[in-house]
């Protein structure tokens, strides 16, 4: 298996533009997570899905952020409009457990820079 | 791969010595704990896990200890090698939140030759 695949690896955009980050989880995994990593706040869980359904989005910073999982093999994290403070590394992860007590496998991340 | 230059506590260890990385978790209801390693330019990578019905678990060169009384977790790395240089995170799984995995702030392990 190729692991969790994220695209793009790097994204530089201007403030106000829409940004879409993409993730392909490991085949067969039924949970998907979006994390954000910054110097100040470390690794923050933004949202996670079980069986394509958003379960907890309490970590999503504000309405500018949205995430979708239209099917078991694809998810997007969208920021509209983007702001400089959104600059961070965004990780997608997936796990294959029935719900509780299983490790998450991470992608390589997308470094987002908003100028 | 990507990572960030986090301002983290740093543990400096002589190559060949044992390393002990500590972590305090927050929720007494958590029942599953994981240690991750994040190398520069990569995403976090699973090292070892432990469930709350255990207080110790061993892997290859690594041991995790769990003290539920004081909500403390530690990772011991035997015979530390240059390749162990990384940021180490503990993570907890909140039972009431199904798959939700919450990460701690991380510790940077630096190896002296």
């Amino acid at each position: 298996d190729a692991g969790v695949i994220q695209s793009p690896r790097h994204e530089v955009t201007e403030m106000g533009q829409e940004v879409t980050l993409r993730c392909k989880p490991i085949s067969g995994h039924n949970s998907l997570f979006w994390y954000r990593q910054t110097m100040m706040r470390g690794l923050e869980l933004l949202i996670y899905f079980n069986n394509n359904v958003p379960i907890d989005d309490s970590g999503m910073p504000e309405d500018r952020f949205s995430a979708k999982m239209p099917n078991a093999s694809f998810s997007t994290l969208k920021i509209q409009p983007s702001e400089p403070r959104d600059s961070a590394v965004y990780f997608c992860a997936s796990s294959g457990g029935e719900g509780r007590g299983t490790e998450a496998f991470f992608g390589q991340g997308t470094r987002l820079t908003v100028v | 791969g990507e990572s960030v230059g986090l301002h983290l506590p740093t543990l400096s260890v002589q190559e060949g010595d044992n390393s002990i990385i500590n972590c305090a978790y927050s929720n007494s209801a958590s029942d599953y704990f994981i240690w991750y390693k994040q190398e520069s330019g990569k995403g976090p990578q699973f090292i070892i896990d432990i469930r709350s019905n255990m207080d110790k678990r061993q892997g290859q060169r690594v041991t995790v200890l769990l003290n539920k009384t004081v909500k403390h977790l530690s990772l011991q790395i035997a015979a530390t090698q240059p390749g162990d240089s990384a940021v180490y995170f503990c993570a907890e799984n909140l039972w009431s939140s199904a798959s939700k995995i919450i990460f701690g702030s991380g510790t940077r392990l630096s190896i002296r030759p």
Side-chain angles (χ1 to χ4, degrees):
Chain A
D1 196 313
V4 176
I5 300 173
Q6 292 186 245
S7 64
R9 298 285 292 273
H10 302 267
E11 177 79 30
V12 180
T13 190
E14 291 186 345
M15 182 173 61
Q17 296 299 306
E18 177 180 298
V19 175
T20 299
L21 310 182
R22 296 172 176 79
C23 175
K24 182 180 187 306
I26 293 172
S27 177
H29 280 187
N30 61 359
S31 295
L32 182 140
F33 310 82
W34 281 101
Y35 286 88
R36 177 172 69 176
Q37 189 172 38
T38 61
M39 290 176 64
M40 294 300 296
R41 302 172 73 92
L43 265 166
E44 302 174 276
L45 178 63
L46 301 178
I47 185 172
Y48 77 96
F49 297 82
N50 270 356
N51 297 317
N52 312 339
V53 177
I55 302 300
D56 186 340
D57 65 354
S58 59
M60 296 286 262
E62 48 198 271
D63 292 345
R64 297 184 297 107
F65 285 68
S66 62
K68 294 183 179 180
M69 192 166 184
N71 57 62
S73 60
F74 184 65
S75 176
T76 59
L77 178 68
K78 185 177 295 185
I79 309 173
Q80 166 63 23
S82 59
E83 297 182 3
R85 61 191 168 120
D86 301 331
S87 297
V89 180
Y90 290 81
F91 287 102
C92 177
S94 71
S95 69
E98 289 302 316
R100 303 183 174 92
T102 57
E103 68 190 88
F105 294 83
F106 282 75
Q108 294 282 57
T110 296
R111 179 178 288 278
L112 173 65
T113 303
V114 183
V115 298
Chain B
E2 302 297 339
S3 65
V4 292
L6 300 168
H7 296 304
L8 298 167
T10 298
L11 174 66
S12 180
V13 175
Q14 188 78 34
E15 182 178 349
D17 287 352
N18 296 337
S19 303
I20 300 177
I21 301 171
N22 296 304
C23 174
Y25 62 93
S26 56
N27 193 330
S28 57
S30 295
D31 70 336
Y32 178 62
F33 305 90
I34 316 162
W35 279 100
Y36 283 89
K37 172 185 181 183
Q38 187 176 23
E39 297 176 282
S40 180
K42 297 183 180 180
Q45 181 181 15
F46 171 86
I47 302 173
I48 191 169
D49 59 3
I50 188 168
R51 298 187 187 278
S52 60
N53 60 352
M54 303 171 68
D55 54 19
K56 180 179 180 179
R57 190 168 187 217
Q58 289 184 291
Q60 188 177 16
R61 280 204 309 120
V62 294
T63 301
V64 56
L65 299 178
L66 174 64
N67 185 330
K68 295 182 288 294
T69 303
V70 295
K71 294 190 288 186
H72 183 267
L73 203 62
S74 70
L75 177 70
Q76 300 178 4
I77 304 174
T80 310
Q81 302 169 0
D84 296 327
S85 292
V87 176
Y88 289 81
F89 294 94
C90 67
E92 59 184 305
N93 186 197
L94 303 179
W95 177 264
S96 62
S97 301
S99 301
K100 189 170 183 175
I101 300 174
I102 303 299
F103 281 76
S105 56
T107 298
R108 187 180 303 279
L109 179 63
S110 172
I111 312 302
R112 301 192 304 272

